[in-house]
Amino acid sequence: MHQHHSMICKGCWQNLHLPVLLRGPLSIPYRMLGLRPSRMNPNTCTFCELAFTRIMKARNVTIDATVLFADLRGYTAASQSLASSEMNSTLDAFYDECAEAIWKHDGLLNKTLGDAIMAVFNFPIRQDDHAAQAVRVARQIQRRWRARRTELVEGLDIGEDSLCIGIGISSGKVSFGEFGQSHRDLTAIGTVVNTAARAQSVARAGQILVTGAVRDRCEQDMVNRDGTKYDLKGLATPVELYDAGEADRQRLA
């Protein structure tokens, strides 16, 4: 990881106008108070993760957000024939490339789910164009991974589409907060989250599928305006999804 990180918490500055220092000697007093860079986004602090519980006096809040799921295709199958060191290096690289792209565009790397990740945009750092930012991140992940994958799979006996990435993105209202009793989980839930996860599950290796809500919010950045209806597991009616592949490299470089 070589990304330059912010010296102050972007979330606290944007929402509370508080200059919470994250790095350098002057950050020591903040760390003594338990304020340190968040593992979900090192440009925000641990207070941002739970700010709504302190300020809004609620365990969860409803926010307008964009949710992105990315999955490393064929990881489980490949792990059965390759050395554990090779598979661990591949998974670490996948996490790193996803994280760097997400944080560059002020997203939250909310979860790592085995060979998949979940990201949330528009919390705690607000973005008017969060849907477009998520598409930019997806394209950057695919671009970075194509270059990284060539190095990682050199000499390995795997299929052409193995260890490629499929991505799904959806936008709308989600509930974000702490869920669960025995184990508190800070995450987003709702139909938007489920749809993004299901869109990712039907995306082909190297493909980015987005919902109509995402397309409508960043239509000027979309290439393929013709959608395809998919029967997604757990959803009552077919959902139209749109390919957001990186054909227009000029606008989203």
Side-chain angles (χ1 to χ4, degrees):
M1 304 290 286
H2 56 270
Q3 183 174 334
H4 175 72
H5 297 308
S6 174
M7 293 297 293
I8 68 169
C9 172
K10 289 185 175 182
C12 286
W13 181 252
Q14 183 187 73
N15 296 309
L16 303 173
H17 301 293
L18 292 177
V20 175
L21 293 172
L22 298 176
R23 294 167 181 86
L26 295 179
S27 69
I28 293 175
Y30 294 92
R31 291 181 181 247
M32 293 176 66
L33 294 173
L35 300 178
R36 60 186 66 248
S38 166
R39 296 178 64 183
M40 296 185 189
N41 184 338
N43 293 316
T44 63
C45 73
T46 47
F47 177 75
C48 283
E49 295 176 359
L50 298 172
F52 55 86
T53 64
R54 316 278 176 82
I55 299 171
M56 302 179 185
K57 307 301 182 185
R59 275 190 59 197
N60 59 77
V61 293
T62 299
I63 60 172
D64 183 51
T66 298
V67 178
L68 177 154
F69 278 85
D71 175 78
L72 189 58
R73 297 287 190 263
Y75 178 82
T76 301
S79 65
Q80 297 175 17
S81 59
L82 301 178
S84 59
S85 60
E86 294 170 333
M87 297 311 300
N88 290 341
S89 296
T90 300
L91 193 59
D92 286 344
F94 169 68
Y95 287 156
D96 287 349
E97 297 299 345
C98 289
E100 191 155 348
I102 291 163
W103 295 337
K104 180 180 179 180
H105 292 274
D106 290 331
L108 200 70
L109 179 54
N110 185 221
K111 286 178 177 293
T112 55
L113 307 158
D115 54 3
I117 62 95
M118 169 184 169
V120 178
F121 297 83
N122 206 35
F123 185 87
I125 301 174
R126 297 192 309 274
Q127 303 167 299
D128 291 337
D129 61 343
H130 52 88
Q133 293 290 358
V135 172
R136 290 185 175 95
V137 167
R139 290 176 173 177
Q140 189 173 73
I141 288 173
Q142 295 288 22
R143 186 190 316 139
R144 295 173 66 94
W145 188 250
R146 282 194 294 270
R148 190 76 178 268
R149 179 185 179 276
T150 300
E151 171 192 343
L152 288 167
V153 305
E154 185 176 359
L156 300 182
D157 184 20
I158 61 173
E160 182 179 348
D161 289 339
S162 186
L163 300 181
C164 293
I165 297 175
I167 298 177
I169 308 175
S170 184
S171 279
K173 299 296 183 182
V174 304
S175 292
F176 193 94
E178 288 189 297
F179 300 95
Q181 295 298 326
S182 59
H183 173 72
R184 294 287 181 89
D185 191 17
L186 183 66
T187 190
I189 63 171
T191 301
V192 167
V193 179
N194 296 337
T195 304
R198 298 309 183 193
Q200 171 265 116
S201 70
V202 298
R204 300 188 306 274
Q207 189 177 32
I208 303 165
L209 290 180
V210 307
T211 61
V214 175
R215 182 207 61 177
D216 292 344
R217 294 181 183 208
C218 55
E219 190 167 359
Q220 69 276 15
D221 290 334
M222 304 302 291
V223 176
N224 187 353
R225 289 170 174 77
D226 296 323
T228 301
K229 288 190 175 180
Y230 291 83
D231 291 313
L232 302 181
K233 183 178 178 182
L235 300 181
T237 58
V239 175
E240 196 154 23
L241 300 175
Y242 301 81
D243 193 318
E246 192 180 20
D248 190 345
R249 290 180 172 85
Q250 296 298 320
R251 275 187 296 222
L252 286 185

